[in-house]
Amino acid sequence: MKEKKVTRREFLKKSSGAALGLFTAPYIIPNNILGRNGILSPSNKITLGFIGTGWQGTANLDAFLNEDAAKVIAVCDLDTDHLLEAKELVDLKYRNNDCATYTNFRELLSRQDIDAVVIGTPDHWHAIPSIEAAKAGKDIFCEKPLSHSFNEGIEMCNAVNRYDRIWQTGSWQRSIPNFRFACEIIRNGRIGKVHTVEVGLPDGHRDFEGTFGLESPMEPPKNLDYNTWLGPAPYAPYAPARVHKNWRWNLDYGGGQLMDWVGHHVDIAHWGLDLDHTGPVEIDGIGEYPKTGLWNTATKYFVTTKYENGLIMKIAGGYDEIKTGTKWIGEEGWVHVNRGFLDANPKSLLKEFFGPNDITLYKSPGHAANFLECIKTRNKTLTPVDVAHRSATPGHLGQISMLLQRKINFDPNKQKIIGDEVASSMLGRSYRAPWHL
Amino acid sequence: MKYIFKKIALLLIILGVSTNIISQNGKYEERVQSLLNKIENYEYNQDGSPLYDLDKIIKNAMNENENLDFLEGELIKSLLANSTYDAKLFICRQLSLIGTHSSVTPLISLISDSHYSDIVRIALEKINSTEVDNGLLKVIEKVDDEIKRGIIATLAARKSYSSISTISEYVLSDDIELATIAASALGYIGGVESVEKIKSLLNKVTDDVKKVLFDSYLKCGDEFLALNKIEMANEVYTYVLDNSDFTSIKYAALKGLINSAHENRGLLILNLIKDNNIELAEVAMSQIE
């Protein structure tokens, strides 16, 4: 999946041959193939459209409204309450009434004056708008986890790379200094060879919307286009506990705590170990699932993954021995990082200084700012699409292993499950008509 | 005499064990049937524990590789019985795991019913049997357009090469949504036949569908490139570059061409830079690390 690019050495070597008249190109390239790439709006700002303006969508909206380099010009949501709140927020910031509203993301994507989109929809609604946005020539910021299914992730990577779009994932921990510092300690071998990583995630189901138990079927509220909200997922009657914020506790729309957090702490684990372009070779998960009810994702889980170099990554929720955050354990010590927390053994690691010959990692000016900067420079962001897919992969595979109650083997180069037809078939999901990728 | 006693004792043991196995099997079958009887009447928001219990039994059977034929048969019976939508949904999810060619006809018998067409595809999409593709191709003409769209998406997900010809016909449909799904499906299926079909269709469709066809064409090119079929990939990208009027498509084709040019990439880029188009030069330079 890693893009093949021409190295400067290759380029210069071949170019000198061309200068001697050894080569004539058979290709005729028409003018104006770039569209808006690199061409900013008359206001010299990057114009943004938001797709999904609920909980996380609003948090992202706040972040981008505080960026001078950006201008939000359109918002889209299936819930008109969310939509109007988002418009109000934008118009209040710009002191006008200009922010356009849409309930159909395709209408927003068809606007030629929008440079990039910020997608904050539920997980089962990441792939379709992302791929369509890439085709429409938009750069994309999308929430984590990258995709609802592994195969969607592959298709998202393909589309974004095919159309050369700038992509940032909402794995914002990479933009926070203490996470980067922790990763630099590991990358520079300060704890020796790392043999184990413990990734502690939350357990259970959190009632984020106060809809716990509201599972009785009822008419959807008038402000919500419920059928489109279901989108590619199988038809199911409306119930408040199914939708806003708590959708993540049902496997048709999210992946529970495991998938909700894999794009944060596993993402950091990979970053520290330079595993952004590979994945585990063995995955063995156990999960406890509720016996009944709408919220059917695992409430307690333990996924053990093994990488090609023998590294073991344990991803767990609900096990006291695995503390929340990311903990790398090496032959000469350990480092444990979490939000607002950094600890190490030996403690001297916490005052580590990196010299000019040490590895320093990508420093972001802020997650939103990094995205906007990369739109201008066309450089890769801190969390590009392929990296996000690799961060989510242990979660996807762990989920399959837990559901099948068996270990699975994976080829990280071919990105295929080995020798298990049923597990392989679970890498993708069937879509309800008329939705398709 | 001693020998005869020994033989009798052995026979009795064998008989006892066999009876025990038969009785255990009998209990197993009864348990499954009893759960399915409950599940047939299951509706959303009722006690889901029978579903949970049967799911456990099926997962165990999969991991032990036993009783699968029996379980599949029982699931099919309940699928075809007067079971609820939620029961059928559960059964289709289970058949997506253990379904074989035996499930294909029963599942397809429900596909023309708009209540069930989406959920039976959950199973059909995953069953490893050419009978699925054949069965879907047999019914596709007889179902309404909404169901056709779903069937085409399923054939695409299955990378069903045998369906390329039929799907191509729907690219010409007046129903724009149907035509779009069909055009997109050809890209997901990929291969030489898809490429040929796409090429033959490009001048027969509206601009909206044409854009999807070009995207599918690029997908085929990318697949060739991934399979190291460089010349074929190159041919696809060059054709798209020369024939598409869509900016983003041309841009993607150029990128593909640069990626597929391998040793000549540097030369190709240099010649692109020689072109006076600044935007074009920017695209070319963006490919140099």
Side-chain angles (χ1 to χ4, degrees), chain B residues 76-191:
Chain B
I76 292 169
K77 276 187 217 161
S78 291
L79 177 77
L80 298 177
N82 190 23
S83 48
T84 62
Y85 167 86
D86 293 298
K88 285 184 168 60
L89 174 59
F90 170 80
I91 290 165
C92 288
R93 288 191 207 265
Q94 298 300 327
L95 287 175
S96 78
L97 301 174
I98 65 164
T100 66
H101 62 94
S102 306
S103 295
V104 176
T105 304
L107 285 163
I108 287 183
S109 73
L110 293 173
I111 207 162
S112 56
D113 186 329
S114 59
H115 284 100
Y116 305 127
S117 64
D118 287 319
I119 62 173
V120 296
R121 285 192 299 105
I122 291 173
L124 288 167
E125 206 156 301
K126 310 293 183 189
I127 293 174
N128 185 9
S129 164
T130 52
E131 286 180 37
V132 175
D133 309 72
N134 298 339
L136 290 172
L137 290 171
K138 261 185 207 163
V139 295
I140 194 166
E141 258 188 61
K142 299 167 200 159
V143 297
D144 68 36
D145 281 0
E146 179 82 359
I147 296 171
K148 275 191 182 83
R149 290 175 204 137
I151 290 176
I152 291 171
T154 289
L155 290 166
R158 292 177 58 80
K159 270 183 105 61
S160 169
Y161 294 105
S162 61
S163 66
I164 290 172
S165 182
T166 304
I167 290 175
S168 300
E169 289 168 27
Y170 290 110
V171 174
L172 300 171
S173 167
D174 291 337
D175 177 338
I176 184 81
E177 213 167 345
L178 183 58
T180 302
I181 287 184
S184 169
L186 292 175
Y188 281 104
I189 297 170

Side-chain angles (χ1 to χ4, degrees), chain A residues 296-430:
Chain A
N296 61 6
T297 58
T299 49
K300 190 176 176 188
Y301 49 93
F302 201 111
V303 180
T304 307
T305 63
K306 187 177 177 185
Y307 286 68
E308 225 161 6
N309 60 2
L311 172 90
I312 301 289
M313 189 193 296
K314 298 170 182 173
I315 310 165
Y319 288 81
D320 290 343
E321 64 271 32
I322 308 285
K323 305 289 178 213
T324 309
T326 306
K327 183 179 181 181
W328 299 268
I329 304 165
E331 288 167 345
E332 294 161 31
W334 53 259
V335 174
H336 183 193
V337 66
N338 196 1
R339 294 180 183 181
F341 171 86
L342 181 63
D343 197 6
N345 180 33
K347 294 278 181 202
S348 57
L349 289 171
L350 300 173
K351 291 176 183 164
E352 197 65 22
F353 170 78
F354 300 111
N357 294 325
D358 284 321
I359 296 166
T360 51
L361 294 173
Y362 194 140
K363 196 171 180 181
S364 137
H367 219 54
N370 173 240
F371 177 55
L372 298 169
E373 198 175 85
C374 292
I375 289 175
K376 286 182 184 168
T377 61
R378 311 310 292 170
N379 288 330
K380 289 252 181 201
T381 65
L382 187 54
T383 55
V385 68
D386 309 75
V387 169
H389 176 62
R390 294 295 193 169
S391 297
T393 295
H396 287 308
L397 300 176
Q399 190 86 267
I400 292 170
S401 172
M402 291 187 327
L403 288 167
L404 287 179
Q405 299 163 19
R406 64 182 181 229
K407 186 166 96 173
I408 52 179
N409 297 305
F410 183 70
D411 179 339
N413 299 316
K414 292 181 182 160
Q415 300 215 62
K416 305 260 185 219
I417 287 175
I418 303 165
D420 191 330
E421 201 180 286
V422 175
S424 297
S425 78
M426 291 170 75
L427 292 171
R429 282 166 188 265
S430 175

